[in-house]
Amino acid sequence: YVEKIGHRIKLNIKDGMAVIFGDCHYWPGDMPIAHVALVKFIRKYQPVAVICNGDVFDGARVSRHPPTGWAQMPEVKDEIEYCQRMIAEIVEAAPRKAKLCWNAGNHDTRFSARLAQTAPEYVGIKGTDLPDHFPDFEFAWSTQINDDVMVKHRFRAGVHAAWNNVLHGGVTMFTNHVHRLCVTPITDYKGRRWGVDCGTISDFGPTENKFTYGEDNPYNWGSGFAVATFKNGKLLPPELVQVQDKIAYFRGEPV
């Protein structure tokens, strides 16, 4: 079942698979390899939960950061419409009874932040907040699975984010934000837990205009998403779907 407590969604999963993806940063015209793999994966494996872990929307035009020179940025309207198209593909692929959860990311909040800051009189009017445009998903800051797994867009930052998330959170944590794609195990007297960086759905590199702010530096990022499988209420070792050489792999086989 799914339960909403304030800003947190609570899921109970006894047996089944949860797919966790984020940092899509969809721009009109994009068709990332990891997105295609995500839709095919969901359709094939029929997870009991699909968790969007933030930053589907990029919001370059409503960013607090100045534009990079004359870089071309899409209009907010065009971004939202394209995000809706891409998310609709994910919803269509998911089982009818799957739980659809969305943990807001810092880019997602750009959508309403500009209005809240400059035109607070419009707050609460339908269409002024991101969830209004994606009614199939339950929105929150975090999603808790059973008693010992937390999924949220970000907690600690930096190259050791996954390790520090578990160390300071005390539970297994699936996060995005840093765009890395890896599983970091931590074992202590309480047992074994994992910090999972869930990567980015976006393609990246010198041809991607939305990442011009990176000045064509090497990115320690990974395209793909994470898979959490539960047996008798216990999380099995987390797995990844990873894009390598323009092919997405899961358990050594192309998706």
Side-chain angles (χ1 to χ4, degrees):
Y1 67 91
V2 59
E3 179 184 3
K4 184 79 175 291
I5 300 178
H7 299 296
R8 182 188 301 177
I9 295 169
K10 293 190 69 177
L11 296 180
N12 273 10
I13 300 178
K14 182 180 179 181
D15 296 294
M17 178 184 289
V19 173
I20 302 162
F21 72 96
D23 286 302
C24 306
H25 298 281
Y26 291 130
W27 275 33
D30 268 359
M31 187 50 70
I33 295 168
H35 171 82
V36 177
L38 175 65
V39 173
K40 290 184 176 182
F41 186 95
I42 292 172
R43 187 172 287 121
K44 177 178 180 179
Y45 288 96
Q46 297 288 281
V48 299
V50 177
I51 302 176
C52 172
N53 211 21
D55 285 0
V56 166
F57 175 76
D58 186 81
R61 285 186 177 268
V62 287
S63 171
R64 63 184 176 85
H65 301 292
T68 306
W70 298 108
Q72 297 297 311
M73 296 177 292
E75 299 288 347
V76 171
K77 174 180 178 293
D78 295 332
E79 266 198 81
I80 284 293
E81 289 178 351
Y82 198 73
C83 288
Q84 288 175 319
R85 170 185 161 183
M86 303 297 268
I87 291 297
E89 293 184 359
I90 295 169
V91 172
E92 186 276 331
R96 185 174 59 87
K97 293 184 178 181
K99 307 303 182 184
L100 305 179
C101 309
W102 186 321
N103 301 321
N106 54 301
H107 281 252
D108 293 331
T109 59
R110 288 177 175 179
F111 180 82
S112 58
R114 175 69 66 86
L115 274 176
Q117 183 178 23
T118 60
E121 299 83 2
Y122 287 84
V123 172
I125 296 178
K126 187 172 179 59
T128 60
D129 202 6
L130 193 70
D132 297 336
H133 300 273
F134 301 93
D136 293 301
F137 279 80
E138 184 76 39
F139 277 72
W141 282 117
S142 61
T143 299
Q144 178 182 340
I145 304 176
N146 301 338
D147 294 323
D148 52 1
V149 176
M150 287 294 295
V151 186
K152 65 194 318 291
H153 180 67
R154 60 178 178 174
F155 181 31
R156 301 290 175 165
V159 68
H160 299 298
W163 174 274
N164 285 320
N165 288 340
V166 178
L167 190 65
H168 294 275
V171 294
T172 288
M173 292 191 70
F174 290 78
T175 55
N176 279 83
H177 189 59
V178 297
H179 295 193
R180 298 179 72 235
L181 185 64
C182 62
V183 178
T184 303
I186 294 181
T187 304
D188 56 21
Y189 289 122
K190 294 182 179 180
R192 193 166 182 83
R193 301 184 297 280
W194 292 273
V196 185
D197 285 322
C198 299
T200 172
I201 292 296
S202 180
D203 294 330
F204 54 89
T207 62
E208 299 295 324
N209 289 330
K210 58 188 168 184
F211 298 126
T212 54
Y213 59 79
E215 302 176 7
D216 196 25
N217 292 322
Y219 301 100
N220 188 26
W221 298 354
S223 289
F225 51 93
V227 179
T229 302
F230 294 84
K231 294 291 185 183
N232 294 318
K234 296 297 182 182
L235 175 67
L236 300 182
E239 299 175 285
L240 304 174
V241 175
Q242 307 187 56
V243 175
Q244 182 173 326
D245 298 327
K246 298 185 178 180
I247 299 175
Y249 293 92
F250 179 62
R251 297 175 180 171
E253 297 294 330
V255 176

